[in-house]
Amino acid sequence: MATAKDPNPRPVRTSSSFSRNPSSPSAAPASPPVPGVKPGPSGAAFVSSGIPDLDKILGGGFLLGSVVMVMEDADAPHHLLLLRNFMSQGIVHRQPLLFASPAEDPRAFLGTLPSPVSSSKEERQRAPGLDPDAKDKEKGLRIAWQYKKYFGERQVPELHNRGIEQDFSNDFDLRKPLERQMFRTQQIDCVSIQDTANLAVLHEHCSTFLSDLTRNEGCNVNAGRIAIQSLCAPQCGYSELDWDMVSFIRSLRAMIRCSNAVAVITFPTSVLSPSFSKRWQHLADTLLSVRAMPDEDKELAKLLTGYQDMVGLLHVHKVSQINTQVPVILEATTFSLKLQKRRSLILERLNQAPVDASSGTSYATSGSCSGSSKGSPLDF
Amino acid sequence: MRGFARRERERGDMNPPSNLLDEALGLGHGGAIAALPAGRVVLVEDCVETSGAFVLHHLLKRALSAGEGGGDVLFLALAQPFSHYDRVLRKLGCSLSVQRNNNKLHFFDMLKLEFPGLTGGNDIESGFVGLYSKIQRAIEARRSKEYSRGCITIMIDDLSLLEIAACGSIDCVLDFLYYCISLTAELDCSLVILNHEDIYSSEEAPRFLSHLEYLADIVIKTEPLSTGLSADVHGQLTIFNKGTSSRHGHSMNKIHNFHFKVKENGVEYFYPGSQY
């Protein structure tokens, strides 16, 4: 696989024993790690997106100091799934949170946040099916059984790493709301951006929020999260002021870059003109889009396995490149959003259903070059 | 004279062989590293899917290590903080902190640049005038030093953010660019601009982009492969080199097209299908 040849692989996605371990003793900072923050490549650090699968896809999570943008589906609220899990994860880690929304009472949204699944048994149950990496790792070790003694030292940090990872991201039960008392103990700032004539208020909130989170070498500050829902929604008073909005995002990005925080901004692309939509996309460090599944799409249902369980599709357009010039190339960029047991959110790569022999579009069915008597157009 | 030749040879040994990008830019002759010829305007255009920042990093490293003791660079950074460029360039084998301390690199940290007030056109205009006079002063200070005869390169990363800082007054940005270009002609500098092509692809604002392309001597475009993402080929580069007169006298107006793969310590350039 090409990823294995890459000189600087993102640590989470590779299972090769030659990969650089980001949390190996030499690389780990001397000061105790902040809960919910994981060291990443090139001096960057990750916080969890609240969806363990998304963390895995992005190579560890959202990078501190980056702006994540989610392009909304025009007709469905799927972006709220991402936003809720992102906010819940922050509250579970006791990280300060700033939430801005075009709703009248943004604080009401906090009542819909999901609560973490308590038992780790659930995680174990779904791990084997979901995580091919883990299986690979085991297989790799079995093949190299005779070298096992050499792995002795390496396994210690790995186990240690796994312990961190469990704290790093939780599974959330979408049916169970987060306990109220969680909100009282920590810093949560809610701003309504409905009917505000300009972005000065939000800008003010962001800069005071981020002033406590300035990054400085040596001492670890807690990581902060900013969640902004539908920044360019038409009910905001400034939604006509295209240049003000991009200039707000630009200055937010500049502030985020030098602080220990992540901002997630969702926006409906259909409201923006194509050229401004591109500008927004360029301002994003990590760019995702969500799309609802069409309800009764017979064609699609035939094409994809597990169509019934899918609630939507998530597309990864861009992964942040902080402190590096190498783009992250994912093996797949479109994933299906599924609700497992109607409660926890998982992401899976799309699986194409086996195609009927009659259609003959699959290479697998017409794999033989000449032996096939069906005479499908792909034979030669 | 002999000492000079030896130094040249040593430097030639140290440096990696020139690649397709350098050849297309007309830099790759003779093995020794040359900066962009003076008075050149280079425009790098990229899109959301494929970032063109690596071209800028390459040209930055090239400019700092070119010629006798290297040239000077004025870097207008709107997209990233210094630490980002420092880390990226360090992996390419060039320390920006050292270069900055040696006064070779003049780093304008404009991540948070905002022109005061942002109310009327006058503020933005005066903001640009201030910025331009800063650049002019920096260049003149460098020119006045007798020991520095190397080429000065002005780099802008990236222009679309400058547009945002100017609240969309394209005329101000263009005026600023015209001033910078006249500066390059007068004081033997070259100008490298990064911009995003896809912003202008819709019908609303193609004027700005065609203006830029007219001004540029070399246009470098980065695009994704039409066949989709690949781990081995990150995208393709198209280079329009307008009328460089080669050493044989005839002018060549050439289009180069090849694929690339970005790595931490450099970029691989190759013709389609020639890799693996």
Side-chain angles (χ1 to χ4, degrees), chain B residues 180-221:
Chain B
C180 285
I181 289 168
S182 69
L183 203 63
T184 64
E186 277 169 29
L187 295 171
D188 288 347
C189 313
S190 48
L191 178 66
V192 180
I193 306 164
L194 176 68
N195 205 8
H196 306 305
E197 187 192 7
D198 45 3
I199 293 175
Y200 310 99
S201 54
S202 66
E203 306 234 324
E204 293 153 59
R207 185 175 71 95
F208 186 62
L209 194 70
S210 43
H211 240 102
L212 283 179
E213 285 180 357
Y214 173 73
L215 292 173
D217 296 307
I218 302 173
V219 180
I220 306 174
K221 279 186 188 180

mmCIF file of all heavy atoms in Angstrom, chain B residues 180-221:
data_model
loop_
_atom_site.group_PDB
_atom_site.id
_atom_site.type_symbol
_atom_site.label_atom_id
_atom_site.label_comp_id
_atom_site.label_asym_id
_atom_site.label_seq_id
_atom_site.Cartn_x
_atom_site.Cartn_y
_atom_site.Cartn_z
ATOM 1 N N CYS B 180 3.810 47.212 -6.906
ATOM 2 C CA CYS B 180 4.832 46.206 -6.626
ATOM 3 C C CYS B 180 5.555 45.811 -7.904
ATOM 4 O O CYS B 180 6.774 45.617 -7.917
ATOM 5 C CB CYS B 180 4.220 44.965 -5.999
ATOM 6 S SG CYS B 180 3.783 45.199 -4.289
ATOM 7 N N ILE B 181 4.816 45.686 -8.999
ATOM 8 C CA ILE B 181 5.429 45.269 -10.255
ATOM 9 C C ILE B 181 6.356 46.346 -10.790
ATOM 10 O O ILE B 181 7.450 46.061 -11.279
ATOM 11 C CB ILE B 181 4.335 44.892 -11.275
ATOM 12 C CG1 ILE B 181 3.680 43.592 -10.842
ATOM 13 C CG2 ILE B 181 4.913 44.751 -12.668
ATOM 14 C CD1 ILE B 181 2.433 43.252 -11.579
ATOM 15 N N SER B 182 5.937 47.593 -10.646
ATOM 16 C CA SER B 182 6.831 48.654 -11.104
ATOM 17 C C SER B 182 8.092 48.674 -10.239
ATOM 18 O O SER B 182 9.185 48.963 -10.727
ATOM 19 C CB SER B 182 6.121 50.002 -11.049
ATOM 20 O OG SER B 182 5.904 50.360 -9.721
ATOM 21 N N LEU B 183 7.918 48.302 -8.986
ATOM 22 C CA LEU B 183 9.074 48.197 -8.097
ATOM 23 C C LEU B 183 10.021 47.104 -8.583
ATOM 24 O O LEU B 183 11.243 47.272 -8.576
ATOM 25 C CB LEU B 183 8.574 47.861 -6.689
ATOM 26 C CG LEU B 183 9.456 48.205 -5.516
ATOM 27 C CD1 LEU B 183 9.657 49.697 -5.437
ATOM 28 C CD2 LEU B 183 8.817 47.703 -4.244
ATOM 29 N N THR B 184 9.430 45.984 -9.015
ATOM 30 C CA THR B 184 10.285 44.896 -9.478
ATOM 31 C C THR B 184 11.050 45.313 -10.720
ATOM 32 O O THR B 184 12.190 44.915 -10.914
ATOM 33 C CB THR B 184 9.464 43.631 -9.805
ATOM 34 O OG1 THR B 184 8.600 43.939 -10.891
ATOM 35 C CG2 THR B 184 8.687 43.159 -8.624
ATOM 36 N N ALA B 185 10.429 46.115 -11.547
ATOM 37 C CA ALA B 185 11.123 46.540 -12.759
ATOM 38 C C ALA B 185 12.237 47.526 -12.422
ATOM 39 O O ALA B 185 13.330 47.457 -12.971
ATOM 40 C CB ALA B 185 10.131 47.168 -13.726
ATOM 41 N N GLU B 186 11.961 48.438 -11.487
ATOM 42 C CA GLU B 186 12.954 49.466 -11.175
ATOM 43 C C GLU B 186 14.127 48.905 -10.394
ATOM 44 O O GLU B 186 15.275 49.247 -10.637
ATOM 45 C CB GLU B 186 12.301 50.571 -10.337
ATOM 46 C CG GLU B 186 11.562 51.606 -11.152
ATOM 47 C CD GLU B 186 10.742 52.500 -10.255
ATOM 48 O OE1 GLU B 186 11.141 52.686 -9.088
ATOM 49 O OE2 GLU B 186 9.696 52.989 -10.715
ATOM 50 N N LEU B 187 13.823 48.087 -9.427
ATOM 51 C CA LEU B 187 14.867 47.691 -8.476
ATOM 52 C C LEU B 187 15.283 46.239 -8.631
ATOM 53 O O LEU B 187 15.840 45.631 -7.719
ATOM 54 C CB LEU B 187 14.385 47.943 -7.043
ATOM 55 C CG LEU B 187 14.150 49.415 -6.698
ATOM 56 C CD1 LEU B 187 13.467 49.550 -5.361
ATOM 57 C CD2 LEU B 187 15.464 50.165 -6.676
ATOM 58 N N ASP B 188 15.008 45.646 -9.772
ATOM 59 C CA ASP B 188 15.441 44.275 -10.053
ATOM 60 C C ASP B 188 14.972 43.274 -9.007
ATOM 61 O O ASP B 188 15.763 42.553 -8.406
ATOM 62 C CB ASP B 188 16.978 44.209 -10.153
ATOM 63 C CG ASP B 188 17.457 44.856 -11.424
ATOM 64 O OD1 ASP B 188 16.595 45.107 -12.285
ATOM 65 O OD2 ASP B 188 18.657 45.107 -11.533
ATOM 66 N N CYS B 189 13.697 43.243 -8.773
ATOM 67 C CA CYS B 189 13.165 42.225 -7.875
ATOM 68 C C CYS B 189 12.309 41.280 -8.703
ATOM 69 O O CYS B 189 12.029 41.537 -9.860
ATOM 70 C CB CYS B 189 12.270 42.823 -6.795
ATOM 71 S SG CYS B 189 12.961 44.240 -6.009
ATOM 72 N N SER B 190 11.894 40.210 -8.089
ATOM 73 C CA SER B 190 10.864 39.409 -8.737
ATOM 74 C C SER B 190 9.708 39.238 -7.748
ATOM 75 O O SER B 190 9.880 39.403 -6.542
ATOM 76 C CB SER B 190 11.413 38.067 -9.198
ATOM 77 O OG SER B 190 12.140 37.463 -8.172
ATOM 78 N N LEU B 191 8.559 38.923 -8.304
ATOM 79 C CA LEU B 191 7.348 38.889 -7.492
ATOM 80 C C LEU B 191 6.680 37.528 -7.670
ATOM 81 O O LEU B 191 6.503 37.058 -8.786
ATOM 82 C CB LEU B 191 6.412 40.005 -7.951
ATOM 83 C CG LEU B 191 5.053 40.148 -7.282
ATOM 84 C CD1 LEU B 191 5.210 40.538 -5.836
ATOM 85 C CD2 LEU B 191 4.212 41.184 -8.008
ATOM 86 N N VAL B 192 6.362 36.887 -6.562
ATOM 87 C CA VAL B 192 5.682 35.593 -6.611
ATOM 88 C C VAL B 192 4.360 35.721 -5.864
ATOM 89 O O VAL B 192 4.335 36.171 -4.718
ATOM 90 C CB VAL B 192 6.533 34.475 -5.970
ATOM 91 C CG1 VAL B 192 5.796 33.149 -6.031
ATOM 92 C CG2 VAL B 192 7.877 34.361 -6.653
ATOM 93 N N ILE B 193 3.273 35.373 -6.535
ATOM 94 C CA ILE B 193 1.948 35.540 -5.943
ATOM 95 C C ILE B 193 1.248 34.194 -5.927
ATOM 96 O O ILE B 193 1.231 33.482 -6.935
ATOM 97 C CB ILE B 193 1.092 36.518 -6.778
ATOM 98 C CG1 ILE B 193 1.810 37.846 -6.973
ATOM 99 C CG2 ILE B 193 -0.258 36.736 -6.139
ATOM 100 C CD1 ILE B 193 1.212 38.681 -8.076
ATOM 101 N N LEU B 194 0.638 33.852 -4.799
ATOM 102 C CA LEU B 194 -0.229 32.673 -4.759
ATOM 103 C C LEU B 194 -1.670 33.156 -4.750
ATOM 104 O O LEU B 194 -2.019 34.082 -4.021
ATOM 105 C CB LEU B 194 0.058 31.837 -3.501
ATOM 106 C CG LEU B 194 -0.846 30.619 -3.272
ATOM 107 C CD1 LEU B 194 -0.598 29.560 -4.327
ATOM 108 C CD2 LEU B 194 -0.622 30.028 -1.898
ATOM 109 N N ASN B 195 -2.473 32.529 -5.569
ATOM 110 C CA ASN B 195 -3.897 32.876 -5.562
ATOM 111 C C ASN B 195 -4.722 31.633 -5.851
ATOM 112 O O ASN B 195 -4.214 30.630 -6.323
ATOM 113 C CB ASN B 195 -4.190 33.985 -6.557
ATOM 114 C CG ASN B 195 -5.433 34.758 -6.166
ATOM 115 O OD1 ASN B 195 -5.985 34.556 -5.094
ATOM 116 N ND2 ASN B 195 -5.884 35.625 -7.030
ATOM 117 N N HIS B 196 -6.014 31.731 -5.553
ATOM 118 C CA HIS B 196 -6.879 30.573 -5.762
ATOM 119 C C HIS B 196 -7.699 30.792 -7.015
ATOM 120 O O HIS B 196 -8.448 31.746 -7.115
ATOM 121 C CB HIS B 196 -7.788 30.375 -4.562
ATOM 122 C CG HIS B 196 -7.050 30.297 -3.269
ATOM 123 N ND1 HIS B 196 -6.036 29.391 -3.064
ATOM 124 C CD2 HIS B 196 -7.150 31.003 -2.127
ATOM 125 C CE1 HIS B 196 -5.557 29.556 -1.848
ATOM 126 N NE2 HIS B 196 -6.215 30.529 -1.261
ATOM 127 N N GLU B 197 -7.554 29.865 -7.925
ATOM 128 C CA GLU B 197 -8.178 30.052 -9.225
ATOM 129 C C GLU B 197 -9.688 29.852 -9.159
ATOM 130 O O GLU B 197 -10.452 30.578 -9.783
ATOM 131 C CB GLU B 197 -7.573 29.057 -10.216
ATOM 132 C CG GLU B 197 -8.018 29.279 -11.631
ATOM 133 C CD GLU B 197 -7.641 28.118 -12.523
ATOM 134 O OE1 GLU B 197 -7.164 27.093 -12.022
ATOM 135 O OE2 GLU B 197 -7.844 28.249 -13.739
ATOM 136 N N ASP B 198 -10.124 28.864 -8.373
ATOM 137 C CA ASP B 198 -11.531 28.463 -8.444
ATOM 138 C C ASP B 198 -12.487 29.513 -7.882
ATOM 139 O O ASP B 198 -13.680 29.457 -8.141
ATOM 140 C CB ASP B 198 -11.752 27.107 -7.762
ATOM 141 C CG ASP B 198 -11.045 27.016 -6.429
ATOM 142 O OD1 ASP B 198 -10.439 28.033 -6.038
ATOM 143 O OD2 ASP B 198 -11.098 25.964 -5.788
ATOM 144 N N ILE B 199 -11.946 30.461 -7.124
ATOM 145 C CA ILE B 199 -12.804 31.531 -6.625
ATOM 146 C C ILE B 199 -13.387 32.330 -7.788
ATOM 147 O O ILE B 199 -14.517 32.787 -7.752
ATOM 148 C CB ILE B 199 -11.998 32.467 -5.706
ATOM 149 C CG1 ILE B 199 -11.583 31.740 -4.448
ATOM 150 C CG2 ILE B 199 -12.778 33.719 -5.372
ATOM 151 C CD1 ILE B 199 -10.683 32.542 -3.555
ATOM 152 N N TYR B 200 -12.585 32.460 -8.821
ATOM 153 C CA TYR B 200 -12.973 33.345 -9.925
ATOM 154 C C TYR B 200 -13.601 32.598 -11.088
ATOM 155 O O TYR B 200 -13.867 33.183 -12.128
ATOM 156 C CB TYR B 200 -11.748 34.114 -10.423
ATOM 157 C CG TYR B 200 -10.991 34.760 -9.298
ATOM 158 C CD1 TYR B 200 -9.858 34.159 -8.771
ATOM 159 C CD2 TYR B 200 -11.446 35.941 -8.726
ATOM 160 C CE1 TYR B 200 -9.173 34.737 -7.717
ATOM 161 C CE2 TYR B 200 -10.765 36.520 -7.670
ATOM 162 C CZ TYR B 200 -9.636 35.911 -7.176
ATOM 163 O OH TYR B 200 -8.972 36.475 -6.129
ATOM 164 N N SER B 201 -13.791 31.297 -10.906
ATOM 165 C CA SER B 201 -14.261 30.524 -12.054
ATOM 166 C C SER B 201 -15.718 30.832 -12.393
ATOM 167 O O SER B 201 -16.136 30.647 -13.522
ATOM 168 C CB SER B 201 -14.081 29.036 -11.789
ATOM 169 O OG SER B 201 -14.718 28.707 -10.583
ATOM 170 N N SER B 202 -16.471 31.294 -11.406
ATOM 171 C CA SER B 202 -17.845 31.651 -11.728
ATOM 172 C C SER B 202 -17.838 32.991 -12.471
ATOM 173 O O SER B 202 -16.825 33.668 -12.544
ATOM 174 C CB SER B 202 -18.675 31.770 -10.466
ATOM 175 O OG SER B 202 -18.220 32.854 -9.710
ATOM 176 N N GLU B 203 -18.986 33.350 -12.952
ATOM 177 C CA GLU B 203 -19.042 34.483 -13.874
ATOM 178 C C GLU B 203 -18.862 35.840 -13.202
ATOM 179 O O GLU B 203 -18.745 36.851 -13.864
ATOM 180 C CB GLU B 203 -20.392 34.470 -14.601
ATOM 181 C CG GLU B 203 -20.661 33.137 -15.270
ATOM 182 C CD GLU B 203 -20.972 33.287 -16.731
ATOM 183 O OE1 GLU B 203 -21.616 34.282 -17.082
ATOM 184 O OE2 GLU B 203 -20.542 32.427 -17.515
ATOM 185 N N GLU B 204 -18.850 35.834 -11.858
ATOM 186 C CA GLU B 204 -18.901 37.125 -11.174
ATOM 187 C C GLU B 204 -17.615 37.937 -11.290
ATOM 188 O O GLU B 204 -17.657 39.130 -11.512
ATOM 189 C CB GLU B 204 -19.226 36.906 -9.698
ATOM 190 C CG GLU B 204 -20.611 36.373 -9.483
ATOM 191 C CD GLU B 204 -20.683 35.571 -8.212
ATOM 192 O OE1 GLU B 204 -20.391 36.143 -7.164
ATOM 193 O OE2 GLU B 204 -21.005 34.389 -8.273
ATOM 194 N N ALA B 205 -16.502 37.288 -11.096
ATOM 195 C CA ALA B 205 -15.284 38.075 -10.993
ATOM 196 C C ALA B 205 -14.126 37.511 -11.799
ATOM 197 O O ALA B 205 -13.051 37.286 -11.277
ATOM 198 C CB ALA B 205 -14.875 38.191 -9.533
ATOM 199 N N PRO B 206 -14.338 37.252 -13.068
ATOM 200 C CA PRO B 206 -13.207 36.729 -13.827
ATOM 201 C C PRO B 206 -12.207 37.834 -14.206
ATOM 202 O O PRO B 206 -11.087 37.560 -14.571
ATOM 203 C CB PRO B 206 -13.863 36.128 -15.065
ATOM 204 C CG PRO B 206 -15.133 36.874 -15.225
ATOM 205 C CD PRO B 206 -15.509 37.428 -13.906
ATOM 206 N N ARG B 207 -12.639 39.086 -14.052
ATOM 207 C CA ARG B 207 -11.808 40.205 -14.488
ATOM 208 C C ARG B 207 -10.491 40.233 -13.716
ATOM 209 O O ARG B 207 -9.424 40.424 -14.284
ATOM 210 C CB ARG B 207 -12.578 41.503 -14.258
ATOM 211 C CG ARG B 207 -11.900 42.735 -14.774
ATOM 212 C CD ARG B 207 -12.820 43.918 -14.603
ATOM 213 N NE ARG B 207 -12.960 44.296 -13.209
ATOM 214 C CZ ARG B 207 -12.227 45.236 -12.614
ATOM 215 N NH1 ARG B 207 -11.326 45.871 -13.302
ATOM 216 N NH2 ARG B 207 -12.412 45.537 -11.360
ATOM 217 N N PHE B 208 -10.612 40.001 -12.410
ATOM 218 C CA PHE B 208 -9.440 40.088 -11.553
ATOM 219 C C PHE B 208 -8.401 39.054 -11.962
ATOM 220 O O PHE B 208 -7.222 39.348 -12.084
ATOM 221 C CB PHE B 208 -9.879 39.872 -10.100
ATOM 222 C CG PHE B 208 -8.789 40.082 -9.102
ATOM 223 C CD1 PHE B 208 -8.183 41.310 -8.965
ATOM 224 C CD2 PHE B 208 -8.371 39.039 -8.300
ATOM 225 C CE1 PHE B 208 -7.187 41.515 -8.040
ATOM 226 C CE2 PHE B 208 -7.376 39.238 -7.372
ATOM 227 C CZ PHE B 208 -6.784 40.471 -7.242
ATOM 228 N N LEU B 209 -8.889 37.840 -12.196
ATOM 229 C CA LEU B 209 -7.958 36.762 -12.525
ATOM 230 C C LEU B 209 -7.300 36.999 -13.885
ATOM 231 O O LEU B 209 -6.096 36.791 -14.037
ATOM 232 C CB LEU B 209 -8.681 35.419 -12.518
ATOM 233 C CG LEU B 209 -7.736 34.228 -12.506
ATOM 234 C CD1 LEU B 209 -7.032 34.115 -11.179
ATOM 235 C CD2 LEU B 209 -8.474 32.945 -12.808
ATOM 236 N N SER B 210 -8.080 37.465 -14.848
ATOM 237 C CA SER B 210 -7.463 37.673 -16.161
ATOM 238 C C SER B 210 -6.475 38.831 -16.106
ATOM 239 O O SER B 210 -5.457 38.815 -16.801
ATOM 240 C CB SER B 210 -8.530 37.907 -17.225
ATOM 241 O OG SER B 210 -9.510 38.775 -16.743
ATOM 242 N N HIS B 211 -6.754 39.793 -15.252
ATOM 243 C CA HIS B 211 -5.786 40.865 -15.019
ATOM 244 C C HIS B 211 -4.464 40.284 -14.518
ATOM 245 O O HIS B 211 -3.395 40.616 -15.014
ATOM 246 C CB HIS B 211 -6.345 41.808 -13.943
ATOM 247 C CG HIS B 211 -6.513 43.194 -14.418
ATOM 248 N ND1 HIS B 211 -7.733 43.714 -14.785
ATOM 249 C CD2 HIS B 211 -5.618 44.184 -14.593
ATOM 250 C CE1 HIS B 211 -7.578 44.954 -15.158
ATOM 251 N NE2 HIS B 211 -6.304 45.272 -15.061
ATOM 252 N N LEU B 212 -4.597 39.424 -13.507
ATOM 253 C CA LEU B 212 -3.399 38.833 -12.911
ATOM 254 C C LEU B 212 -2.630 38.020 -13.939
ATOM 255 O O LEU B 212 -1.406 38.112 -14.030
ATOM 256 C CB LEU B 212 -3.799 37.901 -11.767
ATOM 257 C CG LEU B 212 -4.190 38.544 -10.456
ATOM 258 C CD1 LEU B 212 -4.582 37.469 -9.463
ATOM 259 C CD2 LEU B 212 -3.020 39.337 -9.916
ATOM 260 N N GLU B 213 -3.365 37.239 -14.712
ATOM 261 C CA GLU B 213 -2.684 36.374 -15.674
ATOM 262 C C GLU B 213 -1.997 37.202 -16.745
ATOM 263 O O GLU B 213 -0.964 36.813 -17.269
ATOM 264 C CB GLU B 213 -3.687 35.402 -16.298
ATOM 265 C CG GLU B 213 -4.048 34.297 -15.332
ATOM 266 C CD GLU B 213 -5.038 33.301 -15.901
ATOM 267 O OE1 GLU B 213 -5.492 33.515 -17.036
ATOM 268 O OE2 GLU B 213 -5.361 32.343 -15.185
ATOM 269 N N TYR B 214 -2.567 38.349 -17.034
ATOM 270 C CA TYR B 214 -1.941 39.241 -18.005
ATOM 271 C C TYR B 214 -0.636 39.804 -17.445
ATOM 272 O O TYR B 214 0.371 39.911 -18.149
ATOM 273 C CB TYR B 214 -2.905 40.363 -18.370
ATOM 274 C CG TYR B 214 -2.285 41.414 -19.235
ATOM 275 C CD1 TYR B 214 -2.013 41.155 -20.573
ATOM 276 C CD2 TYR B 214 -1.959 42.658 -18.713
ATOM 277 C CE1 TYR B 214 -1.424 42.105 -21.362
ATOM 278 C CE2 TYR B 214 -1.366 43.618 -19.500
ATOM 279 C CZ TYR B 214 -1.099 43.341 -20.828
ATOM 280 O OH TYR B 214 -0.512 44.282 -21.612
ATOM 281 N N LEU B 215 -0.674 40.139 -16.149
ATOM 282 C CA LEU B 215 0.511 40.737 -15.540
ATOM 283 C C LEU B 215 1.658 39.744 -15.374
ATOM 284 O O LEU B 215 2.822 40.119 -15.358
ATOM 285 C CB LEU B 215 0.160 41.313 -14.170
ATOM 286 C CG LEU B 215 -0.764 42.516 -14.146
ATOM 287 C CD1 LEU B 215 -1.133 42.854 -12.725
ATOM 288 C CD2 LEU B 215 -0.068 43.704 -14.798
ATOM 289 N N ALA B 216 1.310 38.471 -15.233
ATOM 290 C CA ALA B 216 2.331 37.489 -14.878
ATOM 291 C C ALA B 216 3.151 37.074 -16.087
ATOM 292 O O ALA B 216 2.655 36.985 -17.207
ATOM 293 C CB ALA B 216 1.670 36.269 -14.264
ATOM 294 N N ASP B 217 4.440 36.813 -15.838
ATOM 295 C CA ASP B 217 5.294 36.268 -16.883
ATOM 296 C C ASP B 217 5.200 34.751 -16.909
ATOM 297 O O ASP B 217 5.337 34.121 -17.939
ATOM 298 C CB ASP B 217 6.753 36.672 -16.640
ATOM 299 C CG ASP B 217 6.928 38.171 -16.727
ATOM 300 O OD1 ASP B 217 6.523 38.743 -17.740
ATOM 301 O OD2 ASP B 217 7.440 38.761 -15.760
ATOM 302 N N ILE B 218 5.036 34.187 -15.714
ATOM 303 C CA ILE B 218 4.925 32.737 -15.608
ATOM 304 C C ILE B 218 3.679 32.419 -14.794
ATOM 305 O O ILE B 218 3.476 32.998 -13.722
ATOM 306 C CB ILE B 218 6.159 32.130 -14.912
ATOM 307 C CG1 ILE B 218 7.429 32.485 -15.678
ATOM 308 C CG2 ILE B 218 6.014 30.630 -14.778
ATOM 309 C CD1 ILE B 218 8.700 32.061 -14.976
ATOM 310 N N VAL B 219 2.835 31.554 -15.289
ATOM 311 C CA VAL B 219 1.664 31.120 -14.537
ATOM 312 C C VAL B 219 1.819 29.639 -14.231
ATOM 313 O O VAL B 219 2.074 28.832 -15.134
ATOM 314 C CB VAL B 219 0.362 31.351 -15.328
ATOM 315 C CG1 VAL B 219 -0.839 30.890 -14.517
ATOM 316 C CG2 VAL B 219 0.213 32.820 -15.691
ATOM 317 N N ILE B 220 1.716 29.294 -12.953
ATOM 318 C CA ILE B 220 1.823 27.894 -12.539
ATOM 319 C C ILE B 220 0.478 27.482 -11.978
ATOM 320 O O ILE B 220 -0.018 28.105 -11.041
ATOM 321 C CB ILE B 220 2.902 27.714 -11.460
ATOM 322 C CG1 ILE B 220 4.236 28.284 -11.934
ATOM 323 C CG2 ILE B 220 3.052 26.258 -11.076
ATOM 324 C CD1 ILE B 220 5.311 28.280 -10.890
ATOM 325 N N LYS B 221 -0.118 26.448 -12.537
ATOM 326 C CA LYS B 221 -1.420 25.998 -12.047
ATOM 327 C C LYS B 221 -1.297 24.632 -11.424
ATOM 328 O O LYS B 221 -0.685 23.737 -12.007
ATOM 329 C CB LYS B 221 -2.410 25.899 -13.217
ATOM 330 C CG LYS B 221 -3.017 27.210 -13.598
ATOM 331 C CD LYS B 221 -4.087 27.030 -14.645
ATOM 332 C CE LYS B 221 -4.521 28.406 -15.131
ATOM 333 N NZ LYS B 221 -5.542 28.334 -16.145
#
